[in-house]
Amino acid sequence: MDFLKETSTLQWLLIIASSVIFFILAPYAKDVETFFKAQHRGKKPSMIMLTGSLIISWIFAKSITNAANLGLAFGLVGGVAYAGYYLSFAVAGIVIYQLRVQGGFESIHHFLSSKFGKSAVNVFSILISFRLFNEVWSNTMVIGTYFGDIGTTAYYAAIIVFTLLTLAYTLKGGLSSSIFTDAIQMVLFSILLVIILGVIFTEPDVQVGEMFTSGIWSMELGLNLFFAAILQSFSYPFHDPVLTDRGFISNPRITRKSFLWAALLGAICIVLFSMVGVYAQQAGLEGQAAVEVAKKLGVVLLLIINFIMITSAASTLDSTFSSFSKMLTIDLNLSKTVSFGRIMMVVVAVLGTIPVFLDAEILSATTISGTMVIGLTPVFLLWKMDAPKISYFLSVIAGLVFGVLLIFELFPEQLIHTSGKYSLLLWINFYGIIISFILFLIPIWFKK
């Protein structure tokens, strides 16, 4: 950790300077349309702005850390496996387009309340609140690891300062701040990723061809996670308001096109960043792939990787604050004022930071929350069906039950048909989705 201490001053400067610049540049929101719907001078976000915002809001610090670690564990297969989650964009883009154009719905909450009632909305809001809290701690923890070991004063200080600085510029403009700064963060991410890969690919003894063919395409060495990610992608996006909120702020066709492009480009970015882990594997490194590679290749690369983590974490954090605020203020209609929205941002920042002190696991934020919402799969894929309210609750509860089975590893081993890491995750999701569909459809059949 001496290596990290030597660069701590420069790293603190990166966090503070970038946040101050974002605060200065972020638009100030005075009205509801600007704060919650990202309208700037009456104009909705363009396709390029929306696509960039979607990508960077999902290429968060947690994601690229996991991508690098999976590259270290499984080679290129690990990066491809994690990129499977980006099918979520295509699924969400198509379904949200249909909800808006064919159903006339203005938000996910509007759809659920119209179709299944207020109780369904309340259950859904609890699920996505859990997701949003996860986003806060799981991303800020990554930032903390670049300043000190978990549990040290430097680690906690970095997390708290980073959260407060990001909160400051988000309070200024709400979703407008988030969309605007996302554009800057996406450009920075692209430049920094090119620099990182350029350094790695030009290292002596590095065989670029071998890096892109690394890994074994087998279930136990990465494909368990890939297929689990594909299965979760049909429900995962709908419990993520960071993603779905962006599905209702621009023209429907522009939105659909943005989501489809984001699926492709986001997946490519994740696979490319997993090359950091593949390089770590070839170099015989162990531990956190991104940190270990940075330590091996020097101070400059450490700062670049640290900055890419800062920009990606900030993009997700500001979006999380905005989405939680919109959910309580607009979607749940508690108080349609900007001031109440700002108060809710502070609330989620505080509550979402608490798990940092409880030694939470970063990857679990994706895999567990993704499993607990698989019950949403038939709700959205079969949204045109005339389903009674009980269909919604049976399906959603089934997903929660399978999520609990995953957490406590209570799933029967006889039903797991592959071996290796993530086999439990894959088969719990497989059976969980089948059961959810059956439970969703049974009341419809009885109704007929």
Side-chain angles (χ1 to χ4, degrees), residues 48-49 52-53 56 177-188:
I48 293 176
M49 288 281 287
S53 180
I56 197 64
S177 286
S178 181
I179 296 286
F180 178 78
T181 54
D182 281 350
I184 300 172
Q185 289 157 342
M186 187 63 212
V187 172
L188 285 173

Side-chain angles (χ1 to χ4, degrees), residues 12-32:
W12 277 110
L13 286 174
L14 278 177
I15 280 188
I16 295 171
S18 60
S19 299
V20 169
I21 291 171
F22 287 151
F23 182 83
I24 294 170
L25 295 178
Y28 177 70
K30 296 180 180 179
D31 54 66
V32 170

Side-chain angles (χ1 to χ4, degrees), residues 186-206:
M186 187 63 212
V187 172
L188 285 173
F189 175 86
S190 301
I191 294 171
L192 295 173
L193 179 59
V194 169
I195 293 173
I196 291 169
L197 293 178
V199 171
I200 289 174
F201 290 161
T202 55
E203 274 290 292
D205 302 324
V206 167

Side-chain angles (χ1 to χ4, degrees), residues 86-120:
Y86 284 76
L87 176 62
S88 296
F89 281 116
V91 172
I94 293 169
V95 172
I96 289 174
Y97 177 82
Q98 293 176 346
L99 289 175
R100 294 180 66 183
V101 175
Q102 299 172 21
F105 299 111
E106 297 178 359
S107 68
I108 296 296
H109 281 75
H110 181 205
F111 160 67
L112 292 175
S113 62
S114 301
K115 190 102 173 178
F116 302 109
K118 188 176 180 180
S119 296

